[in-house]
Amino acid sequence: MHNIGSEVVLHTFLLFCRIGGCLMFMPGFSSSHVPRQARIFIAIAVTLAMAPLLLPSVKAAISSFTPLTGLQLMITEIVKGTLIGLMARIFFLALEFVATMAATSVGFANLPGVPIDEAQPMSSLATMITMTATVLFFMMDLHAEVMRALIASYKALPINGELSTQFNLVQLTDVLVRSFVLALQIGSPFILYAISINVLFGVANKLIPQIGIYFVSLPFVVMGGLFIMYFVLGDFLKLFMADFTKWLLTG
């Protein structure tokens, strides 16, 4: 048995600040349907599992520990962990955006579904897409890759290093650009479909103003949207998960 002193407890708590901040925004873990107590216990369990690997580097990085230094380190560690989790969360927010856009394009916007990963209800089609991506996140063991990235973050962002606001904003901006460009790429079939189908029925409405084209066109819009969804949904999710995995491995 080894004695666990107050210094080890404080160093472990600093690890918990970064890991807990990351899991607070990480897809799957941060869902509002996961109880807060469960999220806290998951963060504590992950921290204790990583502590033997990370405590030597933390102990070497902190030469002296005063109340003021401890408070500064707590704040910076929470911000660093939150930044890592938020960057991963942005990818899923971009997916939610493009899924909602796709649902609107194919006429499913007026059919609210049960919120599964989010607190706000979305259309049933968008809920299905985001839920599938969250399930793939765990099936592909990307949550384990997140843990590896957290361990590697202590080399890229040392625990005693200064918090560079410019560096963090640049990283956050790069992820925003990358995720929403990806969202536009995978959602482009639905954008083209929405433009073409609306132009087509707009011309038909001008040619035959006596008929309520909107009510006549809605079944055809939904049928065409489901037809496109049948062919592109697999590649849609493959491209998203491939780019997200690449970012986790290299970002």
Side-chain angles (χ1 to χ4, degrees):
M1 296 292 291
H2 296 279
N3 294 326
I4 299 177
S6 58
E7 184 176 327
V8 175
V9 174
L10 289 173
H11 292 167
T12 305
F13 182 73
L14 288 177
L15 294 177
F16 173 78
C17 290
R18 183 180 294 197
I19 294 170
C22 176
L23 296 182
M24 183 171 61
F25 288 94
M26 190 58 58
F29 297 104
S30 62
S31 174
S32 59
H33 295 277
V34 180
R36 292 186 179 90
Q37 295 86 347
R39 280 183 271 176
I40 292 174
F41 287 140
I42 291 172
I44 292 173
V46 173
T47 302
L48 294 178
M50 292 184 178
L53 295 173
L54 297 174
L55 279 177
S57 61
V58 174
K59 186 176 180 180
I62 302 175
S63 56
S64 61
F65 200 94
T66 62
L68 182 59
T69 304
L71 181 61
Q72 291 175 345
L73 288 174
M74 284 170 52
I75 295 173
T76 54
E77 287 301 294
I78 291 173
V79 172
K80 290 174 183 176
T82 301
L83 180 67
I84 296 171
L86 182 60
M87 286 192 293
R89 186 66 183 166
I90 285 172
F91 275 88
F92 279 76
L93 290 176
L95 178 66
E96 180 183 331
F97 163 77
V98 73
T100 303
M101 180 273 297
T104 305
S105 302
V106 301
F108 276 97
N110 296 325
L111 298 173
V114 179
I116 296 178
D117 190 44
E118 298 292 337
Q120 298 292 333
M122 299 184 293
S123 67
S124 55
L125 184 61
T127 301
M128 182 192 71
I129 292 174
T130 54
M131 181 188 68
T132 305
T134 304
V135 172
L136 289 173
F137 175 76
F138 289 100
M139 288 183 63
M140 296 172 64
D141 290 332
L142 295 181
H143 60 289
E145 191 61 35
V146 170
M147 307 309 166
R148 185 205 63 81
L150 276 172
I151 295 174
S153 70
Y154 283 89
K155 292 183 179 179
L157 301 171
I159 196 168
N160 61 343
E162 295 184 359
L163 188 64
S164 176
T165 305
Q166 182 179 3
F167 174 77
N168 293 335
L169 288 176
V170 168
Q171 293 292 322
L172 197 60
T173 303
D174 290 343
V175 171
L176 278 169
V177 172
R178 180 173 181 172
S179 60
F180 279 91
V181 167
L182 172 65
L184 290 175
Q185 288 174 346
I186 62 180
S188 57
F190 301 99
I191 296 174
L192 293 175
Y193 173 73
I195 294 173
S196 59
I197 200 70
N198 281 285
V199 169
L200 178 64
F201 284 108
V203 172
N205 188 44
K206 288 293 184 180
L207 295 175
I208 315 173
Q210 296 84 0
I211 300 176
I213 294 296
Y214 173 78
F215 301 101
V216 176
S217 66
L218 188 57
F220 297 98
V221 172
V222 174
M223 182 181 67
L226 291 176
F227 186 75
I228 293 176
M229 184 68 67
Y230 175 80
F231 286 102
V232 306
L233 186 58
D235 293 330
F236 183 101
L237 291 169
K238 284 180 183 178
L239 289 172
F240 174 78
M241 297 308 298
D243 199 79
F244 180 66
T245 304
K246 183 179 179 181
W247 174 80
L248 275 180
L249 292 173
T250 61

